[in-house]
């Protein structure tokens, strides 16, 4: 892992010098993919493997120098302090804050997460998450600026705009995509090469923790690396923080092209709320939940084997998807309307499972992964027509520069 210390010349730069340097720096646009969990959601938090694919719907982040300070102008003779403009058109939100405020926000979020992690429960998560639409962006900016040694007054003024193709509430990992784009993109805009891939992944995961509480890290890993990943959370050395081990798999299996994605509707809860609720239930009955997670692991390993098989076995794939969905229903993350929809898919000879955190109350639960031996038949099912079909390519590229 690279040592993240500020370079001497940048350490000595005054705010005016930093802003002058940024003014001559061209705008930078980067993009990150969303993700789709094929199998292993929730179980991956507890050490089981997950199959996760990057999708070709992307989030783009553009970093540039603001044309002028925000209004009202600073009093005559006052030193202009660096500021940040955050524009989130998909959420209808735009805000301007000083770098001091952004860094303070990130520090407070970090402290709040530390308290939550020591005693994770739903009430603690709600206090951690808050209601700021720019929460994940401020957390990620604060983390990367601190890692680069850009304390308050040293970072240059920044205009940051995020444009996303990822549908809200679909379970496509938009928060992780934003975190990776902000961390890696800001370092790129500043011309800093002292963050390697491991450091970017770590900082992006820190930001995502402020959004989701105790995520597994698979979303950030998939958004950064792209492709099809086999991911598993490993115990930390000597009782330290768990590590995420990822293996890149070939993403050319014909089976991937036969999976269909339907959006059942945005869940009323955030991913973090659902994960926290599952944790609370698991703590009440660990043995029963461990048995569920074991069943989910068996199904996930089975699907990996089918992806690597020379020929497709529809009956086997159908059974694996149904088994994993049954476990998700037992976890309580599939609301009644979505369970009824899955039963209709099964009655038509197919299989379907929620992809992502799911929902506690519904009626929507995000993305539904649908499989049938005749993939084209899925689009013709009348009972699925009220829902948005999301044609995504699985195994897309990870983080990349667009300029």
């Amino acid at each position: 892992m690279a040592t993240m210390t500020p370079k001497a010349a940048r350490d000595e730069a005054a705010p005016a010098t930093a802003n002058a340097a940024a003014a001559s720096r061209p705008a930078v646009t980067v993009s990150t993919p969303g993700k789709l969990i094929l199998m292993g959601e929730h179980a991956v938090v507890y050490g089981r493997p997950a199959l996760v694919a990057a999708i070709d719907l992307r989030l783009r982040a553009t970093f540039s120098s603001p044309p002028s300070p925000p209004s009202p102008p600073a009093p005559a003779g006052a030193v202009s302090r660096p500021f940040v403009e955050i524009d989130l058109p998909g959420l209808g939100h735009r805000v301007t804050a000083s770098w001091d405020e952004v860094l303070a926000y990130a520090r407070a979020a970090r402290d709040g997460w530390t308290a939550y992690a020591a005693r994770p429960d739903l009430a603690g998560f709600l206090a951690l998450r808050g209601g700021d639409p720019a929460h994940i962006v401020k957390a990620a900016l604060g983390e990367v600026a601190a890692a680069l040694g850009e304390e308050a007054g040293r970072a240059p003024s920044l205009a940051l705009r995020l444009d996303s193709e990822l549908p809200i509430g679909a379970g496509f990992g938009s928060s992780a995509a934003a975190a990776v784009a902000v961390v890696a993109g800001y370092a790129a805009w500043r011309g800093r090469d002292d963050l390697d891939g491991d450091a970017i992944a770590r900082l992006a995961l820190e930001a995502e923790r402020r959004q989701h509480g105790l995520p597994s890290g698979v979303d950030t890993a998939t958004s950064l690396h792209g492709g099809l990943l086999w991911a598993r959370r490993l115990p930390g050395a000597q009782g330290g923080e768990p590590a995420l081990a990822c293996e890149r798999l070939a993403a050319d299996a014909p089976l991937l092209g036969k999976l269909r994605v339907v959006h059942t509707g945005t869940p009323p809860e955030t991913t973090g709320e659902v994960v926290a609720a599952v944790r609370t239930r698991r703590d009440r009955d660990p043995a029963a939940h461990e048995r569920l997670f074991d069943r989910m692991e068996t199904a996930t390993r089975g699907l990996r084997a089918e992806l690597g098989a020379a020929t497709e076995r529809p009956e086997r794939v159908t059974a694996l998807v149904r088994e994993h969905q049954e476990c998700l229903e037992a976890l309580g993350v599939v609301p009644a309307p979505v369970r009824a929809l899955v039963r209709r898919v099964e009655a038509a000879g197919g299989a379907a499972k929620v992809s992502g955190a799911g929902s506690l109350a519904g009626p929507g639960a995000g993305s539904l992964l649908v499989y049938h031996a005749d993939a084209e038949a899925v689009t013709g099912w009348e009972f699925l027509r009220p829902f948005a079909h999301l044609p995504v390519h699985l195994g897309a590229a990870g983080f990349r520069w667009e300029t």
Side-chain angles (χ1 to χ4, degrees):
M1 185 176 295
T3 302
M4 293 173 288
T5 56
K7 297 182 180 179
R10 292 189 178 99
D11 266 349
E12 297 300 323
T17 304
N19 280 309
S24 62
R25 189 179 300 281
V28 166
T29 298
V30 301
S31 74
T32 48
K35 70 87 178 67
L36 185 77
I37 298 181
L38 304 184
M39 276 191 185
E41 51 273 275
H42 290 291
V44 71
V45 177
Y46 301 92
R48 275 63 168 192
L51 273 169
V52 194
I55 61 176
D56 58 347
L57 298 179
R58 304 184 73 84
L59 177 145
R60 289 171 174 78
T62 299
F63 302 78
S64 61
S65 300
S68 61
S71 58
V79 176
S80 176
R81 303 298 294 173
F83 62 93
V84 178
E85 292 179 352
I86 300 172
D87 187 10
L88 308 175
L91 298 178
H93 183 73
R94 186 168 186 167
V95 65
T96 299
S98 69
W99 263 111
D100 304 61
E101 292 170 327
V102 171
L103 289 164
Y105 186 98
R107 285 193 298 270
R110 192 180 312 134
D111 292 342
W113 181 84
T114 300
Y116 164 76
R119 192 185 179 100
D121 57 25
L122 184 55
F125 171 77
L126 294 175
L128 166 70
R129 174 61 182 86
D132 190 336
H135 178 73
I136 185 71
V137 178
K138 291 178 180 177
L141 269 179
E143 291 293 336
V144 67
L148 293 175
E150 300 195 318
E151 299 173 354
R154 297 185 185 275
S157 292
L158 166 68
L160 171 58
R161 177 185 171 107
L162 269 62
D163 294 283
S164 180
E165 299 171 344
L166 303 171
I168 299 296
F172 284 168
S174 57
S175 295
V180 172
V182 169
V183 169
Y186 181 77
W189 180 65
R190 295 289 284 130
R192 299 291 293 266
D193 57 3
D194 41 350
L195 292 185
D196 61 12
D198 288 342
I200 290 170
R202 179 180 60 79
L203 292 169
L205 178 57
E206 283 299 326
E208 195 192 3
R209 283 170 172 163
R210 316 303 179 240
Q211 184 87 355
H212 291 323
L214 294 170
S216 65
V218 296
D219 287 17
T220 49
T222 308
S223 189
L224 180 61
H225 300 296
L228 176 65
L229 299 182
W230 177 260
R232 185 161 193 161
R233 206 176 186 192
L234 304 177
Q238 298 179 344
E241 184 176 315
L244 187 71
C246 292
E247 178 186 352
R248 194 180 186 97
L249 305 179
D252 56 357
L255 175 57
L256 290 176
K258 298 187 70 172
L259 300 174
R260 297 292 181 261
V261 183
V262 175
H263 194 352
T264 65
T266 301
E269 314 89 0
T270 66
T271 296
E273 289 177 82
V274 179
V275 172
V278 170
R279 181 174 294 276
T280 298
R281 293 169 181 171
R282 185 258 179 196
D283 290 345
R284 290 173 182 161
D285 190 353
H289 282 75
E290 290 301 311
R291 288 192 294 271
L292 278 177
F293 297 144
D294 286 343
R295 287 173 59 191
M296 294 166 83
E297 176 173 357
T298 299
T300 303
R301 290 187 179 278
L303 184 60
R304 174 176 176 169
E306 293 306 306
L307 288 170
T311 58
E312 181 180 346
R313 297 189 297 175
E315 290 184 2
R316 174 64 173 158
V317 176
T318 298
L320 292 169
V321 175
R322 290 182 178 183
E323 166 72 0
H324 202 281
Q325 170 65 14
E326 184 176 311
C327 294
L328 290 172
E329 292 180 14
L331 285 178
V333 298
V334 186
V338 179
R339 293 199 302 270
L341 186 63
V342 170
R343 300 290 90 80
R344 298 194 70 176
V345 171
E346 292 171 352
K353 63 171 289 293
V354 167
S355 174
S359 171
L360 304 175
S367 291
L368 190 70
L369 195 65
V370 182
Y371 172 78
H372 190 275
D374 179 7
E376 298 308 313
V378 174
T379 57
W381 289 342
E382 189 71 29
F383 60 87
L384 285 183
R385 289 189 178 173
F387 303 94
H389 289 248
L390 304 175
V392 296
H393 170 73
L394 302 179
F399 169 83
R400 71 186 183 205
W401 285 56
E402 300 292 347
T403 57

